[in-house]
């Protein structure tokens, strides 16, 4: 009889543990899913003009009284045809910022979503001009005359935000995630990590990188044409002409000069496991050139973090479309918890410090 009671007790304990795990897991999933929902948020459409294009975006402000004084972050996209919410990928970040008492404005790239034009027609300077037009549109809204407004950009924004920072003294702050300094060096790092992941021998990697450098000089030189590019053998997908022209226009991009003269508050972050941009090399340049320019500046590399500051153990892929469906599902379930520990805290705390914004009331 005591033996049966012991078995029943173990069974009840096991069932209780299982129920607790299911409840916690369901709560965690619901929390993650809520991070992809902006319903009920204080949002409005804000459109602006830039060099003949009509750009369309959404401004979202924190709930309650904080909306009137909250700082606003303008999101600067990385590469690719991204809409204002990056196909939903920005939503956990946006909800984290809103919960931290920080507003967000993001717009569809030119030719994407409800925006006109073609983002592939732009240089990095054109992208900076567009972002400055967005800033002016927000500044001109009623009640925003004295509001603290700054920028948060990803990857390719590393050639956009330093330019803005040198030309727009009214911007309150600048944040970069996964930024590269030199376009061609970033391409080399990307190629090396991609080939290494495929198991390519180091000597073959070195040979293929040298070949790629020589080829770049031939096909993206000032006198080169798209027909020159089409005439060479291709072992990868052939670029469309507008993509070719975009690369040719921007392949010489280098942020060294703008970083040396940048004096606005700057936070630069990299994931230590970044597969797209060399985190150690680029962080070292930022520490040397930009860190001394303002006592508020910070340069941070986060452990167990990807190019976009997600948890590297789960989400470290060079491109989002390389993620298996199960990994994409994990991102949806985890929401803001998909970010590496401390990533959101660094950003939110620093913005509050720079703008002297108190934390939102609980």
């Amino acid at each position: 009889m005591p033996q049966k009671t012991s078995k029943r007790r173990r069974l009840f304990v096991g069932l209780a543990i299982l129920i607790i795990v299911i409840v916690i897991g369901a709560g965690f999933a619901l929390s993650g899913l809520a991070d992809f929902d902006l319903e009920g948020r204080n949002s409005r459409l804000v459109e602006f003009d830039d060099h003949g294009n009509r750009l369309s975006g959404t401004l979202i402000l924190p709930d309650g009284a904080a909306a009137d004084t909250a700082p606003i972050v303008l999101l600067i996209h990385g590469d690719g045809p991204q809409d204002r919410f990056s196909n939903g990928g920005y939503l956990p970040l946006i909800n984290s910022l809103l919960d931290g008492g920080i507003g967000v404005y993001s717009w569809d790239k030119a030719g994407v979503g409800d925006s006109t034009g073609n983002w592939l027609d732009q240089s990095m300077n054109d992208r900076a001009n567009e972002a400055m037009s967005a800033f002016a549109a927000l500044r001109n809204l009623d009640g925003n005359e004295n509001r603290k407004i700054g920028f948060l950009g990803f990857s390719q924004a590393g050639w956009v935000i330093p330019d803005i920072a040198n030309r727009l003294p009214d911007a309150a702050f600048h944040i970069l995630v996964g930024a590269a300094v030199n376009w061609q060096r970033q391409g080399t790092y990307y190629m090396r990590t991609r080939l290494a992941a495929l198991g390519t021998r180091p000597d073959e990697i070195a040979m293929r990188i040298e070949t790629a450098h020589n080829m770049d000089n031939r096909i993206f030189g000032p006198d080169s044409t798209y027909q020159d590019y089409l005439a060479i053998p291709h072992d990868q997908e052939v670029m469309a002409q507008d993509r070719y022209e975009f690369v040719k226009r921007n392949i010489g991009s280098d942020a060294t000069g703008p970083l040396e003269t940048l004096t606005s508050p700057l936070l630069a972050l990299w994931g230590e496991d970044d597969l797209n941009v060399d985190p150690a090399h680029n962080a070292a340049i930022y520490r040397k050139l930009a860190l001394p320019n303002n006592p508020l500046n910070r340069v941070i590399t986060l452990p167990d973090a990807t190019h976009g500051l997600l948890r590297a153990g789960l989400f470290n892929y060079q491109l989002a479309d390389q993620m298996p469906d199960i990994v994409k599902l994990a991102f949806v379930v985890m929401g803001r918890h998909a970010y590496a520990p401390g990533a959101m805290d660094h950003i939110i705390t620093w913005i509050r410090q720079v703008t002297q914004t108190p934390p939102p009331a609980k």
Side-chain angles (χ1 to χ4, degrees):
M1 191 70 176
Q3 188 176 5
K4 291 183 179 180
T5 303
S6 178
K7 286 182 179 179
R8 287 198 196 98
R9 185 178 295 112
R10 287 198 298 269
L11 177 62
F12 289 148
V13 170
L15 287 173
I17 291 173
L18 178 62
I19 291 169
I20 291 170
V21 168
I22 292 173
V23 169
I24 291 174
F28 189 72
L30 290 173
S31 172
L33 292 174
D35 283 337
F36 289 88
D37 186 9
L38 291 176
E39 186 177 353
R41 290 292 196 179
N42 181 5
S43 62
R44 62 180 289 189
L45 176 71
V46 177
E47 297 184 322
F48 63 96
D49 295 310
D50 178 73
H51 291 79
N53 295 332
R54 184 68 170 172
L55 289 307
S56 180
T58 301
L59 171 64
I60 316 110
L61 294 173
D63 300 330
D68 297 330
T69 58
I72 297 175
V73 167
L74 279 74
L75 298 184
I76 308 294
H77 302 296
D79 197 7
Q82 298 193 59
D83 63 24
R84 68 196 69 187
F85 299 135
S86 192
N87 198 31
Y90 286 165
L91 295 177
L93 166 70
I94 291 172
N95 275 303
S96 296
L97 291 168
L98 293 171
D99 291 344
I102 299 162
V104 180
Y105 177 65
S106 185
W107 65 97
D108 301 333
K109 272 190 173 183
V112 179
D114 294 328
S115 293
T116 65
N118 184 354
W119 64 274
L120 286 168
D121 292 339
Q122 296 178 322
S123 66
M124 294 300 105
N125 182 256
D126 293 331
R127 293 201 60 198
N129 290 335
E130 180 183 282
M132 291 169 68
S133 295
F135 183 96
L138 290 189
R139 177 64 79 212
N140 291 333
L141 294 177
D142 290 343
N144 278 2
E145 296 84 359
N146 299 309
R147 194 190 290 265
K148 302 290 187 181
I149 304 175
F151 295 89
L152 192 166
F154 307 92
S155 193
Q156 200 175 88
W159 297 293
V160 178
I161 285 182
D163 184 9
I164 296 170
N166 279 280
R167 294 195 285 141
L168 189 63
D170 192 27
F173 57 86
H174 303 278
I175 303 171
L176 280 163
V177 173
V181 174
N182 181 276
W183 182 293
Q184 290 179 287
R185 196 183 192 285
Q186 184 270 331
T188 298
Y189 179 84
Y190 183 95
M191 182 178 183
R192 180 180 290 112
T193 54
R194 178 175 61 83
L195 292 174
L198 294 173
T200 309
R201 296 193 321 270
D203 60 328
E204 185 178 347
I205 291 175
M207 180 187 67
R208 292 180 66 172
I209 287 175
E210 183 179 1
T211 300
H213 285 173
N214 294 334
M215 192 64 67
D216 284 351
N217 292 333
R218 283 178 51 196
I219 63 177
F220 294 119
D223 299 322
S224 302
T225 67
Y226 185 59
Q227 297 307 314
D228 296 328
Y229 165 71
L230 291 178
I232 66 170
H234 295 278
D235 59 359
Q236 297 184 50
E237 184 179 353
V238 176
M239 285 186 282
Q241 184 166 1
D242 56 359
R243 179 68 189 186
Y244 166 84
E245 298 293 348
F246 176 78
V247 174
K248 181 181 176 181
R249 189 179 301 115
N250 293 294
I251 196 169
S253 297
D254 190 292
T256 301
L259 287 175
E260 289 178 324
T261 54
L262 187 157
T263 58
S264 303
L266 172 73
L267 170 65
L269 305 105
W270 288 266
E272 286 187 355
D273 297 305
D274 194 325
L275 298 177
N276 296 37
V277 169
D278 187 338
H281 174 80
N282 289 284
I285 294 176
Y286 270 72
R287 288 191 178 96
K288 178 182 177 181
L289 299 182
L291 192 60
N293 296 347
N294 189 306
L296 292 169
N297 288 357
R298 301 288 183 271
V299 176
I300 298 170
T301 53
L302 287 174
D304 185 35
T306 70
H307 184 54
L309 302 185
L310 298 177
R311 295 174 184 265
L314 291 171
F315 303 106
N316 212 8
Y317 297 84
Q318 285 189 314
L319 300 172
D321 59 12
Q322 294 173 342
M323 289 186 180
D325 289 343
I326 189 66
V327 176
K328 294 177 181 178
L329 177 61
F331 178 63
V332 172
V333 170
M334 294 175 72
R336 72 185 68 185
H337 301 290
Y339 284 95
M344 290 299 100
D345 290 339
H346 279 300
I347 293 171
I348 293 169
T349 301
W350 185 81
I351 293 174
R352 285 185 193 150
Q353 177 190 3
V354 169
T355 60
Q356 298 181 336
T357 301
K362 296 294 184 180

